[in-house]
Amino acid sequence: MVHAGGHNSPGSNPNPTHMNKFAFGCAVVASIISIIFGYDTGVMSGARIFIQDDLKINDNQVEVLMGILNLCALVGSLTAGKTSDVIGRRYTIALSSVIFLVGSVVMGYGPNYAVLMVGRCIAGVGVGFALMIAPVYSAEIASASHRGFLTSLPELCISLGILIGYVSNYCFGKLALKLGWRLMLGLAAIPSMILAFGILKMPESPRWLVMQGRLEEAKKIMVLISNTEEEAEERFRDILAAAEIEEDGAVKAVGRGVWRELVINPTPAVRLILIAAVGIHFFEHATGIEAVVLYSPKIFEKAGVTSKDKLLLATVGVGLTKAVFIVIATFLLDKVGRRKLLLTSTGGMVFASTSLAIGLTMVHRFGRLVWALRLSIVSAYTFVAFFSIGLGPITWVYSSEIFPLRLRAQGASIGVAVNRIMNATVSMSFLSIMKTITMGGVFFMFAGIAVVAWWFFFFMLPETKGVPLEEIEKLFGGGACDGLEIQAKRVDNKI
């Protein structure tokens, strides 16, 4: 039995339908690492202009600088799964903060291109850790009814970080050339330091504790993150069942045979789960969001905006749009469901990519046109809005909740690895592809990929809204279509 401390315990709440305040606080603290990553992404968008002027680097060097973080994040994400299974979710977040702190200091120093690249690589490893662990930690402390909201907080924090980065560009861009961009990059060290210590005051994931055989600790934390004793007891029993405790009471060693179960010889259900996770991470960036977020000043410049101040101000609009619609998405995920939002989001991205491609193509062929400029700016904002209300947050929510407990950390790390590969591919090739097929042609290509993504999501991703983590594997047990039928019976939420 789980012995609760009564309604005076930090997480207590007499109404089981309300969000647990303690679980919410834990998820917020864990998600701060995502603000740091988002800031780095946003600030580099504008800092690129000043770095190029100061260090006299060419477009190819810029592409490498922008994309190298994601290649290094690939190393971090693949390492993070095993690391979090060994040292725990909480200490993995702290480690991520320390790595990012070092990277930020080196980038802020950045006397030349080589040192800047070293700092970018170090920060990239920290990013890989952060992207994998923050959603997993949030998902593992959340109840089924509020898991979508809490697990989407890291994506919301990424958007807030991007917006802060854009504002930082606009403010520090007015300083001396050699000082401005270094301050932009170095500021990320401050929240990294705060988080490294702050996360240590948060509890460990009870699901990880169960996998380590630390059942009494897990029970105590489960009481804190549940609203009632009954809920804590039920959630704890589900975790014990999913953890596959052996007859003598010992828990199977974490990580034993995980890669074999995931990749080499998976069950049909796990194979479908892996395909779903890899697919959603692939399409998140293959549809072009990184091109808009990272190169928005370049897009607006091609559309006809010439002033640096106006370029950076228009870019702030991208960040503001992303943050606002992520906030809206966090409140819709547990009400509307993942699937409906995802399909609506991807369909909207097809429309927005196409209209942006048309606007940019008209400017390319006929020169500066006021209506084409306006169409391009509105389309870019619309694209970001549709991405942020669905595909952006759902990618992280979905991939962190569908894997079985024994496979979750390393399964999520595979998804993040694919995510970083695609992010790097887009960010490091965008300028080169643009020179070959024009910027309008690039966004026609993204629109075509988004059409493929819509069909993939429709056939391969069942609804997970309201389903306990320990039961989600059943949705994939009989194939994608059967999974949809099972979920339709559970929550009466057919498409």
Side-chain angles (χ1 to χ4, degrees), residues 268-290:
V270 170
R271 183 180 295 111
L272 288 176
I273 288 171
L274 185 62
I275 290 171
V278 167
I280 196 170
H281 275 290
F282 173 86
F283 285 117
E284 184 190 20
H285 288 291
T287 48
I289 186 60
E290 196 67 13

Side-chain angles (χ1 to χ4, degrees), residues 320-393:
L320 187 60
T321 301
K322 195 172 190 299
V324 168
F325 281 87
I326 286 284
V327 170
I328 295 172
T330 60
F331 290 100
L332 294 178
L333 276 167
D334 290 315
K335 295 180 180 178
V336 176
R338 285 63 154 153
R339 188 172 156 82
K340 286 182 180 178
L341 276 181
L342 188 58
L343 294 176
T344 301
S345 166
T346 311
M349 289 169 65
V350 173
F351 166 78
S353 290
T354 303
S355 60
L356 178 56
I358 292 171
L360 291 170
T361 299
M362 295 305 293
V363 172
H364 178 75
R365 291 187 177 181
F366 303 106
R368 192 176 189 277
L369 300 170
V370 175
W371 69 267
L373 168 62
R374 291 173 178 170
L375 176 63
S376 298
I377 293 175
V378 171
S379 297
Y381 288 176
T382 303
F383 179 88
V384 171
F386 273 112
F387 172 86
S388 301
I389 207 167
L391 182 55

Side-chain angles (χ1 to χ4, degrees), residues 118-304:
V118 170
R120 193 90 170 130
C121 288
I122 295 172
V125 175
V127 165
F129 272 81
L131 286 175
M132 174 264 153
I133 195 58
V136 167
Y137 179 84
S138 299
E140 291 191 344
I141 65 170
S143 64
S145 58
H146 296 100
R147 190 175 61 244
F149 178 85
L150 294 183
T151 312
S152 66
L153 288 179
E155 181 66 20
L156 171 60
C157 288
I158 289 175
S159 298
L160 292 175
I162 289 173
L163 176 58
I164 296 170
Y166 287 157
V167 173
S168 175
N169 288 153
Y170 185 71
C171 295
F172 291 118
K174 302 179 187 300
L175 299 178
L177 179 62
K178 291 184 179 298
L179 177 64
W181 67 264
R182 289 182 171 87
L183 283 177
M184 294 177 194
L185 299 181
L187 274 182
I190 297 174
S192 298
M193 186 182 302
I194 295 172
L195 178 61
F197 292 101
I199 191 64
L200 298 180
K201 296 186 179 297
M202 294 295 102
E204 182 53 83
S205 160
R207 287 175 167 86
W208 180 80
L209 290 172
V210 167
M211 294 295 286
Q212 299 299 310
R214 295 157 62 179
L215 304 187
E216 288 303 318
E217 292 178 64
K219 286 180 183 181
K220 293 176 182 178
I221 294 172
M222 188 58 73
V223 171
L224 295 177
I225 62 175
S226 300
N227 289 333
T228 65
E229 295 182 28
E230 292 76 15
E231 180 191 347
E233 179 69 36
E234 182 180 356
R235 291 174 67 184
F236 188 71
R237 282 199 306 265
D238 288 344
I239 295 172
L240 290 180
E244 299 179 12
I245 294 180
E246 297 176 352
E247 291 181 4
D248 60 358
V251 181
K252 290 183 178 179
V254 178
R256 184 185 299 169
V258 166
W259 290 108
R260 180 181 58 79
E261 288 188 62
L262 268 175
V263 180
I264 300 173
N265 189 29
T267 65
V270 170
R271 183 180 295 111
L272 288 176
I273 288 171
L274 185 62
I275 290 171
V278 167
I280 196 170
H281 275 290
F282 173 86
F283 285 117
E284 184 190 20
H285 288 291
T287 48
I289 186 60
E290 196 67 13
V292 177
V293 170
L294 204 55
Y295 291 103
S296 48
K298 191 76 174 180
I299 293 171
F300 295 140
E301 183 182 2
K302 286 288 184 181

